[in-house]
Amino acid sequence: MTLPDSPLEGALTQMVDEQLQLAAAKLPALAPTLVHPSPLDHEEIKVAHASLDDVLLGNTPAPPDMLDELAALQAAPALSEEELARQALADGGGDNDPTTPE
């Protein structure tokens, strides 16, 4: 085992530094337009849709499509108990087995 202050460690550090400098010299210089392309060159990431939790907590305003969907749900007629039972029996559930309705 060698001591940390041995000459071998200094030589290794110097060799690594020289290799890094040689590698850096061979890299092409990057133009700012290549590093940060304009928005016209690529698609911008769309903003995530607002969730109902975000709207209810007041973190974000409700988007128009969410308001339209809520208005349609409120305007829809209420389902009878028979219709709810029929839909439950017709749905196979998570295992998609109609013999074991959820």
Side-chain angles (χ1 to χ4, degrees):
M1 183 167 164
T2 59
L3 297 173
D5 297 332
S6 68
L8 185 60
E9 183 177 319
L12 179 62
T13 303
Q14 182 182 359
M15 185 180 72
V16 169
D17 287 341
E18 289 172 358
Q19 292 299 317
L20 288 173
Q21 288 174 357
L22 286 173
K26 292 180 182 179
L27 290 175
L30 297 176
T33 57
L34 295 177
V35 176
H36 300 287
S38 81
L40 301 175
D41 295 338
H42 59 86
E43 273 189 43
E44 291 292 324
I45 297 173
K46 304 291 187 224
V47 177
H49 296 289
S51 69
L52 185 59
D53 289 339
D54 290 335
V55 172
L56 292 176
L57 292 173
N59 295 335
T60 184
D65 57 340
M66 183 183 287
L67 294 175
D68 293 341
E69 186 178 349
L70 287 173
L73 288 172
Q74 287 178 344
L79 297 176
S80 66
E81 289 295 322
E82 292 81 21
E83 176 61 19
L84 289 173
R86 185 197 65 74
Q87 288 181 10
L89 290 172
D91 185 18
D95 59 359
N96 206 17
D97 183 5
T99 61
T100 59
E102 305 298 314

